[in-house]
Amino acid sequence: QKEVEQNSGPLSVPEGAIASLNCTYSDRGSQSFFWYRQYSGKSPELIMSIYSNGDKEDGRFTAQLNKASQYVSLLIRDSQPSDSATYLCAASGGTYKYIFGTGTRLKVLA
Amino acid sequence: DVKVTQSSRYLVKRTGEKVFLECVQDMDHENMFWYRQDPGLGLRLIYFSYDVKMKEKGDIPEGYSVSREKKERFSLILESASTNQTSMYLCASSWLAESTDTQYFGPGTRLTVL
């Protein structure tokens, strides 16, 4: 069974701090990784995608991928209360199918 | 901007009813997907389609069927709704026939079966 694991949280960080969200995956054949943000009652929206080992930065967001350790992370710098949401990690292994984690709930405290 | 729309945001149906959920995308995407999302279980793939009239079962197809007669439209059908099908249903679409392409989600339909 291919799995993507995330800590459900909630992860609480003060406003302005760095939030670190982590994800591990079981399928070594996974090639593509995605982070989605989902506000309560809304649908997921893409924040970042990453395909190669290393870091990828986009504004306040940095995705990190380590295929040897089967580990993906998302860093949010200067966290804002508006970042409070559930963050979904997804992995895909060269087919149409994504495997989603169950999400980490982030709370940014003002 | 990619736009994926779903026919209803909220739907209440009775056990045994036939239910149609419709999804439309406006970006000429080849791939379309139906998921359901339940607390603690995450997003689970019900069916997907990679071309008109083509469909493949996902992880939990039991109790569901789909139809894709036109490229932009993908329908999910609950032949005889049951209470355990109460859930949030999310449609998504993507362009390329590769997993590296982003899936874009519609706003979701929260279905309650009484």
Side-chain angles (χ1 to χ4, degrees), chain A residues 73-90:
Chain A
S73 65
L74 179 71
L75 301 178
I76 307 174
R77 288 182 299 281
D78 189 24
S79 295
Q80 301 297 308
S82 59
D83 294 325
S84 298
T86 296
Y87 289 80
L88 305 176
C89 174

Side-chain angles (χ1 to χ4, degrees), chain A residues 37-67:
Chain A
R37 177 176 61 199
Q38 187 174 24
Y39 293 112
S40 180
K42 303 293 186 182
S43 62
E45 55 178 328
L46 182 76
I47 299 176
M48 299 275 294
S49 57
I50 186 165
Y51 310 113
S52 305
N53 276 330
D55 294 0
K56 180 181 177 183
E57 189 173 317
D58 184 359
R60 295 187 297 113
F61 299 95
T62 299
Q64 299 174 317
L65 174 60
N66 184 326
K67 289 186 178 180

